[in-house]
Amino acid sequence: MTIPQYLSIATLVGMMELFVWGRFRYDVTAIIALLVSLALGIVSPKQAFTGFSDDIVIIVGSALVISAAVERSGVIERLLKLLSKRVTRVRSQLVVLTASVGFASALVKNIGALAMMMPAAFQMAKKNDASPSVFLMPMAFASLLGGLMTLVGTSPNIIVSRVRQEMLGKPFTMFDYLPVGLGLVLIGLIYLRFAYRLLPKDRRAAPTMGDALDIKGYVTEATISEGSPAIDETVGDFLERHEHEVTIAQLLRADMRGSPKSATVLRAGDVLILGGEPDALERVIAGDKLALEGEDREAAEKTKDNEIGVIEAVVNIDSRLVGQTAGRLDLQARYGVNLIAISRQGERLSKRLAETRLRAGDVIVLQGPLDVLPEKLQELGCLPLAERELRLGITRRTLLPIAILSVAMFATAMGWVPVAVAFFAAAGVILVVGALPVRDAYERIEWPILIMLGALIPVSDSLRTTGASQVIAGWLSHVAATLPPWGAVALILVAAMAVTPFLNNAATVLVMAPIAATFAGKLGYQPDAFLMATAVGAGCDFLTPIGHQCNTLVFGPGGYKFGDYARLGAPLSLIVILLGTPLILFWWPLS
């Protein structure tokens, strides 16, 4: 071996030790590794920053934007509402989520299936007062296993198929992977159902200042519009359908004003004074097509939500709002903002918003152009609260994000465009049509993860550029020649699984597949089993957050540490090796 080859391997080993140690944050560790590689000369200055243009960086960033838009659409919430009545325990919800992601990954790219289902995990976790980390890593692992079932599920399968065509003149077809992949998916789902307890219970994403707020008793005013599912429904049925997440303090009608009885039938045009948490109020108003009082719908439509937003603020003791009502102040005409919700500590409000006399200490939600809201708050004498995400007063584009994501995944499945292009285009279209505000998109992207990926890609690629990967491949062939046939297949599977964290899975296949096929030919065996072992190994990185974009995607939102992946993933890797080898040999005989 040459000195650069030794240095490349030593740098990667040292980097892994820093990750496991956890002394530095993961993005800082990646930067350290890149700087060391530059100093040692194993990464050239010209190649140092090429990782930031790599497809994986684009895919992960775009997937986070798409996932945020899907979550904001409310479609997942409606599906969960139907599901949550039957599936209430964490273990049962875990089975539903992992199975959904796993089997969806057979039909679409696994990263797309995971991005689509992540909002469901957050909603279920919130409903159970649990950490999303209980669901996210098992879902990522299920998506990796599900991708093994078809040609389009994951990139290694496509590359292996191409290698087989070059060698034998016939590629693997769409469902040639299914027998082995389906067996591993079923085994993996059973394992994840019980083994999720291996994950530390205290893992949570880094809290924001908004998480410290515990303001629940908001009151808002909404009108039942034509076409609302609440029409002709009794008040009792309305509250039951929404699982009593909100209350109706008053029902205002021409012939009625006061607290409604349970048997009162709701009509179009009724004004409801609703109380509850902001998220619950938003779900009810959006789901039942209620018209929020004071909402500037025309301005919101013109700007497609990119400029109109909401902000929480507390009424200061010297505020001009103290002792006044919103109706008397005419906030929209004079200040260009709307009062859409009020919260008062220790008191249940029941009047209309325009008639409620504000006090110092009231927490209010104002809607208006984001570029003038801070100025208007200062003018009104209100103090903005720590930022947290509020969707009350923001128009939803319900099915649009789902449709955009579906088109992107269909385009990749048909091979029309690469995954990175499809996902980047989908994220761009989502922003253009206003399905997600640009401000929210930038906030939802996990920038430390993208920095980590961009810095690590050239470091990992130094194995190839220095020739260290070829030296390792030679050692592998020498060892495999002394093993029985099943041992040689298992070794290829283990080697591909071990290399994937350092190279991306596509690069692993490009390095390992020709070696595996050549080795099979030297021994006089059919290459199919060895190629299949390469695809399975390259698609099953359960040990690190950096080997596959699915693992990377859940790293930040789950609040995981580097070593958490091995805690749950090492036993699963062993299961794949022990059961995957006989499955491969059964369906793809060596002779």
Side-chain angles (χ1 to χ4, degrees):
M1 288 181 61
T2 64
I3 291 178
Q5 291 168 352
Y6 278 117
L7 292 176
S8 176
I9 295 173
T11 300
L12 287 170
V13 171
M15 179 191 70
M16 296 299 293
E17 289 178 351
L18 282 179
F19 275 129
V20 174
W21 183 27
R23 173 63 178 82
F24 303 103
R25 203 172 71 171
Y26 51 87
D27 52 337
V28 176
T29 297
I31 292 172
I32 292 172
L34 179 57
L35 292 175
V36 170
S37 299
L38 280 167
L40 294 176
I42 57 177
V43 172
S44 67
K46 186 177 180 180
Q47 297 296 320
F49 306 112
T50 55
F52 292 99
S53 62
D54 191 271
D55 284 358
I56 293 179
V57 176
I58 303 301
I59 290 170
V60 171
S62 301
L64 288 168
V65 172
I66 295 168
S67 178
V70 171
E71 178 184 5
R72 191 170 182 268
S73 71
V75 173
I76 299 297
E77 291 170 0
R78 291 198 290 273
L79 294 176
L80 283 176
K81 182 165 287 188
L82 297 174
L83 187 63
S84 61
K85 296 179 180 179
R86 300 180 181 180
V87 182
T88 57
R89 302 176 67 182
V90 170
R91 288 175 296 184
S92 302
Q93 292 171 343
L94 180 68
V95 171
V96 170
L97 289 171
T98 52
S100 299
V101 171
F103 287 105
S105 296
L107 302 176
V108 299
K109 290 288 185 183
N110 46 23
I111 183 71
L114 179 60
M116 187 167 56
M117 291 301 297
M118 279 178 64
F122 288 113
Q123 291 294 330
M124 285 189 174
K126 185 176 182 180
K127 199 172 186 66
N128 293 325
D129 194 25
S131 172
S133 63
V134 173
F135 300 126
L136 293 180
M137 190 185 296
M139 289 171 63
F141 289 176
S143 71
L144 297 183
L145 292 170
L148 303 177
M149 289 194 286
T150 63
L151 179 68
V152 300
T154 186
S155 298
N157 290 358
I158 298 173
I159 299 172
V160 164
S161 177
R162 189 178 67 190
V163 172
R164 186 176 191 260
Q165 183 176 26
E166 292 173 353
M167 293 192 61
L168 305 179
K170 184 179 180 181
F172 285 124
T173 62
M174 174 68 78
F175 297 107
D176 281 345
Y177 300 90
L178 184 60
V180 175
L182 180 59
L184 292 176
V185 166
L186 296 177
I187 294 166
L189 292 178
I190 294 171
Y191 166 79
L192 293 171
R193 160 65 174 78
F194 296 98
Y196 74 94
R197 295 186 181 89
L198 294 173
L199 290 171
K201 296 181 180 180
D202 61 344
R203 296 294 186 256
R204 291 181 183 270
T208 63
M209 287 297 295
D211 295 331
L213 297 175
D214 189 25
I215 303 169
K216 299 180 179 179
Y218 271 115
V219 170
T220 191
E221 181 178 336
T223 303
I224 300 178
S225 305
E226 292 291 345
S228 170
I231 295 176
D232 295 332
E233 191 174 36
T234 67
V235 169
D237 290 341
F238 174 88
L239 296 176
E240 180 68 25
R241 179 164 58 86
H242 292 294
E243 300 178 349
H244 294 276
E245 288 186 321
V246 298
T247 60
I248 300 179
Q250 276 202 66
L251 189 154
L252 308 177
R253 188 185 292 168
D255 58 346
M256 182 183 299
R257 185 185 182 94
S259 180
K261 296 181 179 180
S262 179
T264 302
V265 178
L266 299 174
R267 302 175 186 171
D270 285 351
V271 177
L272 305 178
I273 307 298
L274 299 173
E277 295 185 27
D279 284 349
L281 292 171
E282 192 273 337
R283 283 194 292 271
V284 172
I285 291 170
D288 280 12
K289 301 177 182 178
L290 307 183
L292 193 62
E293 176 63 22
E295 184 179 2
D296 193 350
R297 301 180 193 88
E298 183 178 350
E301 182 62 28
K302 287 181 180 178
T303 59
K304 294 189 180 297
D305 290 347
N306 284 335
E307 298 297 333
I308 297 296
V310 294
I311 192 169
E312 286 177 297
V314 61
V315 179
N316 205 359
I317 193 169
D318 58 354
S319 169
R320 64 182 60 189
L321 296 177
V322 175
Q324 301 291 328
T325 64
R328 180 180 298 176
L329 286 173
D330 197 5
L331 291 176
Q332 175 58 41
R334 296 176 60 186
Y335 297 97
V337 297
N338 303 307
L339 175 67
I340 61 175
I342 307 173
S343 176
R344 180 173 295 167
Q345 183 68 29
E347 184 175 341
R348 182 183 178 186
L349 302 175
S350 59
K351 291 184 178 180
R352 301 191 68 166
L353 295 184
E355 300 171 356
T356 300
R357 196 174 299 275
L358 297 171
R359 302 177 184 173
D362 285 351
V363 179
I364 59 177
V365 178
L366 295 177
Q367 179 197 56
L370 288 172
D371 55 349
V372 302
L373 272 178
E375 176 186 344
K376 298 304 179 183
L377 283 180
Q378 185 176 11
E379 190 175 344
L380 289 168
C382 298
L383 300 176
L385 294 177
E387 185 178 356
R388 66 170 174 170
E389 183 179 9
L390 279 185
R391 295 186 296 183
L392 185 64
I394 301 296
T395 306
R396 289 185 176 192
R397 314 286 190 204
T398 51
L399 296 178
L400 201 53
I402 302 294
I404 293 170
L405 178 57
S406 299
V407 170
M409 293 190 295
F410 180 75
T412 60
M414 297 299 294
W416 294 341
V417 292
V419 179
V421 173
F423 271 52
F424 183 79
V429 172
I430 281 173
L431 297 180
V432 169
V433 301
L436 183 71
V438 176
R439 186 187 300 262
D440 289 357
Y442 280 109
E443 290 175 354
R444 291 300 292 269
I445 294 175
E446 296 281 349
W447 297 106
I449 290 178
L450 301 189
I451 294 295
M452 178 190 70
L453 286 174
L456 284 189
I457 288 170
V459 176
S460 299
D461 194 47
S462 67
L463 279 177
R464 179 187 60 82
T465 57
T466 61
S469 59
Q470 294 300 320
V471 174
I472 295 172
W475 293 344
L476 185 64
S477 297
H478 181 71
V479 173
T482 65
L483 297 175
W486 63 266
V489 172
L491 181 61
I492 294 296
L493 175 58
V494 171
M497 195 178 289
V499 172
T500 297
F502 302 99
L503 305 175
N504 62 62
N505 54 7
T508 297
V509 174
L510 289 172
V511 172
M512 292 296 303
I515 296 172
T518 302
F519 174 66
K522 289 181 179 179
L523 295 179
Y525 298 131
Q526 292 291 328
D528 292 334
F530 294 90
L531 291 174
M532 195 63 63
T534 302
V536 171
C540 291
D541 173 31
F542 306 123
L543 301 178
T544 73
I546 59 176
H548 195 283
Q549 56 264 40
C550 288
N551 289 353
T552 307
L553 187 61
V554 302
F555 189 35
Y560 299 116
K561 294 183 178 180
F562 195 89
D564 292 342
Y565 284 80
R567 293 182 64 156
L568 183 66
L572 182 57
S573 298
L574 185 60
I575 289 172
V576 169
I577 294 167
L578 294 178
L579 299 181
T581 301
L583 275 174
I584 292 170
L585 290 173
F586 178 80
W587 291 103
W588 299 97
L590 296 177
S591 58

